[in-house]
Amino acid sequence: MPPKEISGKITALGVDISVSSTGDRDDYISLTDIARYRSDEPGDVVKNWMRSRETIEFLGVWERLHNPDFKEVEFDLFRLESGRNAFTMSPTKWIRSTGAIGIKSKRGRYGSGTFAHVDIAFEFASWVSPEFKLYVIQDYQRLKSDENSRLSLDWNEKRLFTKINYRIHTDAVKEHLEPIARGKAKQFVYANEADVLNVALFGMTARQWRDANPAERGNVRDGATLHQLIVLANLESMNAQLIKEGHSREERVVYLREMASQQLDALRENPTIRALDGAVLPPAAEE
């Protein structure tokens, strides 16, 4: 499963420039938007940049450093032809012929155009205008700083909410369920109760999530929104009480699923939580 892309935007000298991010070192910036600083025909600007030998050689070096599947033979042919009057190059041709990953061509109603890895995008911006490049870099750094602040806040929030009622829940399991567990069931008693909450909130067990997301790191709760984590803390407290009252696991799952659905709906439009989370609450797990 490819990493999820997150869209952002920077502004340089009044020009809005789209940024697509899949991680700290995997940002792609729209060359099409950068080119609009020079011309109303941005596609032609990008193609003109790609005609020069210096550009082809730079792109080749970048691909050698980052792309083990880069097609060296095809690249050498382009390098020999580049710079000549009859030589033409487009992003699509470059990608298709060499298997390049540093440049991407996107189509669609939103976010379409030519995107390039931040290393390449800065090189292109310098070719468009050295002054303009400085403004691009400046606002890109602002964007990354904002992202880091938000992610740091988000991480601390999640640490807090995952701990709120965790001890209440594990103490109830330890006192009421662990003593009556027998054989192999004893070693899985805590994991089973964690899955009671997972099923109630996410509609699947931890194992089912791993089977459905083999390429993902972490677990089913790592990608939870702040809304979901607040509900999870409430479910932990309620499940602890239901355990103390002697309800069966099946009874508790039914009750907790209904509770999760109701609380997710109730918190969906809470302005305070929405401001902290900065994300749209996903739909509750179906029955």
Side-chain angles (χ1 to χ4, degrees), residues 20-260:
S20 177
S21 178
T22 57
D24 290 341
R25 293 294 300 163
D26 293 318
D27 288 358
Y28 281 72
I29 299 177
S30 173
L31 300 189
T32 303
D33 290 342
I34 292 175
R36 288 196 174 95
Y37 176 74
R38 171 174 284 192
S39 171
D40 292 333
E41 299 293 337
D44 292 340
V45 176
V46 175
K47 291 178 182 178
N48 287 336
W49 174 67
M50 297 187 73
R51 290 186 67 246
S52 76
R53 172 163 293 190
E54 289 80 5
T55 297
I56 295 299
E57 289 179 344
F58 173 80
L59 294 176
V61 171
W62 191 94
E63 294 292 339
R64 286 194 184 108
L65 291 173
H66 301 91
N67 182 6
D69 298 320
F70 184 55
K71 299 177 182 178
E72 296 276 358
V73 174
E74 288 78 0
F75 161 69
D76 284 336
L77 293 175
F78 288 148
R79 184 176 60 83
L80 292 173
E81 293 293 324
S82 61
R84 297 182 180 180
N85 291 337
F87 178 74
T88 60
M89 180 56 67
S90 69
T92 301
K93 181 179 179 181
W94 172 253
I95 297 166
R96 183 178 62 247
S97 300
T98 67
I101 61 173
I103 292 180
K104 297 180 179 180
S105 183
K106 296 186 177 184
R107 295 182 179 181
R109 186 174 180 181
Y110 304 103
S112 62
T114 299
F115 284 70
H117 188 277
V118 58
D119 298 340
I120 300 171
F122 289 161
E123 185 74 11
F124 175 65
S126 183
W127 179 82
V128 169
S129 165
E131 178 189 11
F132 185 63
K133 172 188 177 181
L134 294 178
Y135 285 97
V136 171
I137 293 175
Q138 182 182 57
D139 207 49
Y140 174 75
Q141 291 174 335
R142 186 272 312 162
L143 174 68
K144 300 309 293 181
S145 177
D146 289 348
E147 286 182 357
N148 289 337
S149 296
R150 177 180 56 79
L151 291 173
S152 177
L153 175 63
D154 184 57
W155 184 77
N156 285 320
E157 289 166 353
K158 289 189 174 184
R159 286 190 67 196
L160 172 64
F161 281 104
T162 54
K163 291 182 176 181
I164 287 178
N165 290 326
Y166 176 78
R167 182 62 182 271
I168 295 174
H169 189 249
T170 56
D171 281 355
V173 174
K174 181 178 181 180
E175 181 178 352
H176 298 278
L177 297 181
E178 188 177 21
I180 62 175
R182 296 290 182 269
K184 291 184 178 181
K186 199 175 190 69
Q187 60 183 307
F188 296 114
V189 64
Y190 290 95
N192 288 339
E193 287 309 309
D195 271 339
V196 167
L197 304 178
N198 290 336
V199 170
L201 184 58
F202 304 109
M204 65 183 74
T205 65
R207 176 64 180 272
Q208 289 171 336
W209 183 89
R210 286 194 298 271
D211 290 344
N213 302 275
E216 295 287 335
R217 296 181 178 180
N219 59 54
V220 65
R221 300 185 184 186
D222 288 340
T225 67
L226 183 56
H227 299 78
Q228 291 172 321
L229 291 175
I230 292 173
V231 174
L232 177 61
N234 294 338
L235 294 181
E236 286 177 326
S237 178
M238 178 55 68
N239 194 41
Q241 183 61 35
L242 294 174
I243 289 172
K244 293 176 182 178
E245 294 176 1
H247 293 276
S248 69
R249 183 181 302 163
E250 291 74 17
E251 291 174 332
R252 289 186 280 112
V253 167
V254 171
Y255 184 89
L256 293 171
R257 283 176 69 96
E258 182 177 357
M259 176 180 171

